[in-house]
Amino acid sequence: MASREQRGSVRTAVVWDALESALAGGPREVVDLGGGTGGFAVRLAESGHRVRVVDPSPDALAALGRRAQEVGVEVSGLQGDVTDLVDVVGAGSADVVLCHGVLEVVDPVLALDRIGQVLRPGGLLSLVVGQRHAAVITRAMAGHFQQARALLDDRAPMDARTGRRFTADEIGELLAEHGFAAASVHAVRVFADLVPSALVDQEPGAAAALVELERAVARRPEYLPLATQLHVLAHAAS
């Protein structure tokens, strides 16, 4: 368990850095769309934010409740998805919406429309999506050359499990079309998925050094095409 937690912290450190910096200065009303068992939601609640998780899975929401109870915080778990998001949480009810790993498997146009309705004017969207160039490389390295070639220029979903992949330019265009102004883009997991797990888990100091390396390249645009994920912070129209 400790190894899995350590690996997870390496993979999310860049996202947490940007998110905690953006949310400094007081408690916010946060909606975590597709937040599942509360990996982000519980920690945000511990920081004093009021958090609602919207997820279609009752099992995930039950696990969320247990997780929140274990650390003594309150997080509202609401069953729903992109299509009924506005009905579930209310229009203009959120200062912040987290949409992490969701845009790949839903209609991105519908999702951004619903998120825009839920956010208050000037509200913050934290968006994490899979990045296409890295997915092409990963498939080629695994010997799946036809899949890599098909993914190279195709914006359509790959399959029900892995969904879409996006480039930084595509995400920027999509956000602008829906009235969002991107404030920052971060490369996430540039190295973390390439380094052997045994090295990170067993070599003293390796995990901390890897986190620092990820942080060092997160804002460098030349590393965006190498990142497994992109993290975008964007503001809704005022």
Side-chain angles (χ1 to χ4, degrees):
M1 178 65 73
S3 294
R4 288 197 296 270
E5 290 176 353
Q6 179 172 265
R7 193 70 166 174
S9 67
V10 169
R11 288 173 169 163
T12 60
V14 166
V15 178
W16 275 115
D17 287 348
L19 193 57
E20 289 181 331
S21 177
L23 297 186
R28 313 288 180 87
E29 295 286 347
V30 180
V31 170
D32 189 353
L33 176 59
T37 61
F40 276 84
V42 170
R43 181 166 160 180
L44 288 172
E46 287 182 286
S47 298
H49 302 290
R50 295 175 290 274
V51 187
R52 292 173 287 173
V53 172
V54 178
D55 197 280
S57 169
D59 291 339
L61 293 176
L64 163 69
R66 292 191 295 271
R67 191 175 195 166
Q69 187 175 29
E70 286 174 0
V71 297
V73 297
E74 184 175 340
V75 177
S76 297
L78 305 170
Q79 190 168 1
D81 56 25
V82 165
T83 58
D84 57 2
L85 179 64
V86 181
D87 294 331
V88 170
V89 302
S93 66
D95 301 309
V96 182
V97 171
L98 273 57
C99 183
H100 295 176
V102 173
L103 219 60
E104 295 92 332
V105 294
V106 300
D107 180 347
V109 172
L110 177 65
L112 290 176
D113 174 72
R114 297 294 191 270
I115 291 169
Q117 292 184 52
V118 165
L119 277 172
R120 292 166 180 157
L124 181 70
L125 167 62
S126 174
L127 180 66
V128 176
V129 297
Q131 198 271 125
R132 184 183 304 138
H133 300 310
V136 171
I137 293 172
T138 299
R139 281 157 181 76
M141 290 178 65
H144 303 310
F145 305 122
Q146 292 180 338
Q147 289 183 18
R149 181 63 186 89
L151 182 58
L152 193 61
D153 301 306
D154 191 356
R155 299 189 182 196
M158 290 183 59
D159 55 51
R161 184 178 64 85
T162 58
R164 296 172 177 79
R165 293 294 183 269
F166 301 86
T167 67
D169 288 343
E170 289 166 1
I171 282 296
E173 293 169 4
L174 194 59
L175 288 169
E177 289 170 1
H178 289 81
F180 289 92
S184 61
V185 182
H186 309 98
V188 179
R189 291 161 56 185
V190 175
F191 306 106
D193 293 347
L194 302 176
V195 177
S197 298
L199 175 63
V200 177
D201 297 338
Q202 299 173 15
E203 187 71 21
L210 180 55
V211 167
E212 289 309 308
L213 181 59
E214 292 279 1
R215 286 170 169 157
V217 302
R219 296 295 296 270
R220 298 191 182 193
E222 64 267 30
Y223 284 90
L224 291 176
L226 303 177
T228 299
Q229 295 176 318
L230 302 173
H231 177 224
V232 183
L233 292 176
H235 291 282
S238 299

